[in-house]
Amino acid sequence: MVSDSPSRGRESAVLADRLSVFSITLFVIYGGGVVATAIPLRPLDTLWQLRVSSALISAAAIPLVGLGLLHLAAYLDPANAALERRRDSLARWAVLAVLGFLLLIPVQAYASWSTVTTARARLTTQLTSANRNFALIREAINDATSLEDLKARLQALESPELGIRFQDLGLPLPETQRQMLIRLNELEEQVKARIKAPPPEAIENVATNALRVMATSLIYALAFAIAAQRRGREVPLLVEVLTMWSVRQQSRQNRRGTPAAIEEDYFAQLAPPEDDPPPSP
C-alpha cells in the first residue's frame, strides 16, 4: 500500500496535466470561433450584434467545460503551483464572463427590438416613397395640356422602377391619359402588394429567439459564477453574492424588527397607559 501511494500521485499529476491541456484547447477553440464570427467588427450593426451573441451563447458550454476541467486538474495535483496559479487566473477571468453573459441580456433585447422596429420603419419609408411617386405621376398625367406637355412632364418625373413612360400611340390626349392612369393604378397595386409588413410569425420568432437567448445567457452567467472567484476571496463568486444578499436581508430585518415584536409594539400603543401603583405605606 505504501508503494502504491507515490505511483498514484504520479498518475494524478499526469492526468492533471492532460486535463489542463484539454481545458486550454477548449478555450482556444471557443475564442477562435467567436473571433471568426465577429470579424469584421461592426458593433453598431444590429445583425452583427445578434450574430455575435448567438455565437457566444451557442458554444458557451465549451469554455465552461474547460474551466471545470482546470478546477479538476488543480484538485488532482494540489502540489502543482503553476497549475494552481493558472486556475486562479482563469477563475478571475471568469468573473468577466459572468458580467459578459449578463450584459448579453439587454443587448439581445435591444437588438431584437431594433430588428423589428427597423423592419417596420423600412416598410413605412417604402410606402411613403411609393405613394409620393405615384401621386406625382398621377398629377402630371392629369395636368398635361397636350401630348408634348405630357411627354415633358413624365420625362421630368421618370422613375425606371415604375415603368411609366410616355408612348405616342397616335391617340388623342384624353384617351392617352385614361390608358396611362389605368396602367399606373395597376402598377401601384403591384408595388404595394410587394411592400408587406413582417408577418406575425416572423415577429413571434424574433421574440421567442430573444427570450431563449436571454434565458440561456442567465443560466450560463450563473454557471460561470460557480467557477469564478474574485482575487483575495476564498469562495466562488456565486456563493459570495448569495452570502452578501443573505446578510443584507438579515440586516434589513434586524433594522425593521421581527413581525412579533412589531405586532407587540402596535398593540402596546393602542392600550391605555397603566396607572402608577400607589406608594406603599
Side-chain angles (χ1 to χ4, degrees), residues 38-269:
I39 294 176
L41 296 177
R42 296 173 181 173
L44 299 181
D45 186 1
T46 302
L47 295 179
W48 183 89
Q49 295 173 3
L50 293 173
R51 186 172 66 251
V52 173
S53 298
S54 178
L56 287 170
I57 294 173
S58 61
I62 296 178
L64 184 61
V65 172
L67 189 57
L69 291 178
L70 192 57
H71 276 276
L72 179 59
Y75 173 78
L76 292 174
D77 191 8
N80 192 332
L83 188 57
E84 184 178 354
R85 288 194 300 270
R86 189 182 307 162
R87 178 203 61 189
D88 294 341
S89 177
L90 287 178
R92 289 193 293 270
W93 279 103
V95 176
L96 296 180
V98 174
L99 298 177
F101 281 109
L102 291 177
L103 183 61
L104 283 179
I105 296 176
V107 169
Q108 182 69 24
Y110 170 77
S112 301
W113 172 81
S114 179
T115 300
V116 176
T117 303
T118 302
R120 290 178 174 174
R122 186 183 298 114
L123 172 67
T124 301
T125 301
Q126 291 175 347
L127 285 176
T128 302
S129 177
N131 290 332
R132 182 177 62 253
N133 291 335
F134 283 116
L136 290 175
I137 295 176
R138 185 173 287 106
E139 181 181 1
I141 294 174
N142 291 326
D143 294 346
T145 57
S146 64
L147 292 177
E148 291 75 12
D149 184 32
L150 176 60
K151 181 178 180 180
R153 289 173 180 268
L154 291 179
Q155 287 178 347
L157 299 174
E158 185 174 3
S159 299
E161 66 276 7
L162 297 180
I164 295 296
R165 296 180 178 86
F166 176 78
Q167 294 180 355
D168 190 356
L169 302 178
L171 299 175
L173 177 63
E175 182 63 21
T176 302
Q177 289 175 318
R178 188 183 69 82
Q179 292 188 6
M180 294 194 69
L181 289 175
I182 293 175
R183 175 60 179 162
L184 182 65
N185 292 333
E186 294 175 352
L187 287 175
E188 186 175 8
E189 293 179 359
Q190 295 175 6
V191 170
K192 290 184 177 181
R194 290 197 301 265
I195 304 176
K196 295 182 178 179
E201 294 80 7
I203 298 177
E204 183 179 352
N205 290 336
V206 172
T208 302
N209 183 70
L211 292 176
R212 179 185 60 81
V213 171
M214 289 187 288
T216 306
S217 298
L218 180 59
I219 293 173
Y220 276 123
L222 295 175
F224 274 95
I226 297 175
Q229 190 169 327
R230 293 199 301 164
R231 184 188 298 272
R233 297 295 191 273
E234 297 181 356
V235 295
L237 178 63
L238 182 60
V239 176
E240 180 184 354
V241 171
L242 291 177
T243 302
M244 292 174 58
W245 180 82
S246 178
V247 170
R248 183 170 299 178
Q249 290 295 111
Q250 185 65 33
S251 176
R252 186 175 301 174
Q253 287 184 358
N254 292 338
R255 287 197 303 267
R256 294 179 178 177
T258 61
I262 296 176
E263 185 176 354
E264 183 179 353
D265 292 342
Y266 175 73
F267 285 111
Q269 293 176 2

Side-chain angles (χ1 to χ4, degrees), residues 19-34:
L19 294 178
S20 176
V21 173
F22 289 158
S23 67
I24 298 302
T25 303
L26 291 177
F27 289 131
V28 172
I29 292 174
Y30 178 73
V34 172

